[in-house]
């Protein structure tokens, strides 16, 4: 099992689909204002992976690329794209997996941080992914 580092969490806005990135993730330079966020899904457990580098997501056979979003200049706000919400709906087994006001957790590992990657997990998925019991059904 990898050694997971919980970076913090925040509630996603229902209107803008944005959430503030925890300071720890900013300090580790996993998110930079004025950059791009690339979104993928780990096939093994359905965890959403976010990176500011495209190649590590695209080149990893265990990650399926979803989409990308821009990070505004002078901002720590990360906008969650519709494709990610759709994925969470599938993993949750239908209905709405994440709505406005739900808390999302930022998590990384030493290996992921080297590739400027972190996971963004809904609260209901955190324990299953971190203890290795999650299985992707989406």
């Amino acid at each position: 099992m990898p050694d997971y580092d919980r970076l913090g969490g925040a509630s996603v806005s229902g209107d803008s689909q944005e959430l503030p990135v925890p300071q720890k993730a900013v300090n580790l330079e996993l998110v930079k204002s004025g950059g791009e966020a690339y979104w993928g899904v780990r096939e093994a457990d359905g965890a959403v992976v976010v990176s500011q580098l495209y190649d590590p997501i695209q080149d990893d056979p265990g990650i399926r690329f979803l989409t990308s979003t821009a990070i505004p200049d002078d901002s720590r706000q990360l906008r969650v794209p519709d494709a990610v919400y759709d994925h969470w709906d599938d993993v949750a087994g239908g209905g709405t997996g994440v709505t406005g006001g739900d808390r999302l957790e930022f998590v990384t590992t030493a290996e992921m941080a080297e590739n400027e990657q972190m996971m963004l997990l809904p609260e209901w998925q955190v324990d299953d992914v971190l203890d290795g019991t999650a299985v992707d059904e989406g």
Side-chain angles (χ1 to χ4, degrees), residues 26-87:
V26 174
N27 291 349
L28 291 171
E29 297 185 350
L30 299 177
V31 173
K32 295 178 187 165
S33 66
E36 190 86 6
Y38 299 97
W39 299 81
V41 173
R42 287 195 322 197
E43 297 290 352
D45 59 11
V48 171
V49 177
V50 184
S51 179
Q52 44 187 12
L53 299 176
Y54 175 74
D55 289 343
I57 286 182
Q58 180 61 33
D59 295 343
D60 188 323
I63 297 177
R64 176 175 37 96
F65 175 77
L66 288 179
T67 191
S68 66
T69 55
I71 302 168
D73 290 334
D74 300 321
S75 176
R76 284 184 28 194
Q77 296 291 317
L78 188 61
R79 187 181 69 75
V80 180
D82 289 338
V84 171
Y85 281 103
D86 293 344
H87 167 73

Side-chain angles (χ1 to χ4, degrees), residues 11-20 72 75 77-80 85:
S11 294
V12 65
S13 166
D15 295 328
S16 67
Q17 295 182 281
E18 293 182 340
L19 72 159
S75 176
Q77 296 291 317
L78 188 61
R79 187 181 69 75
V80 180
Y85 281 103

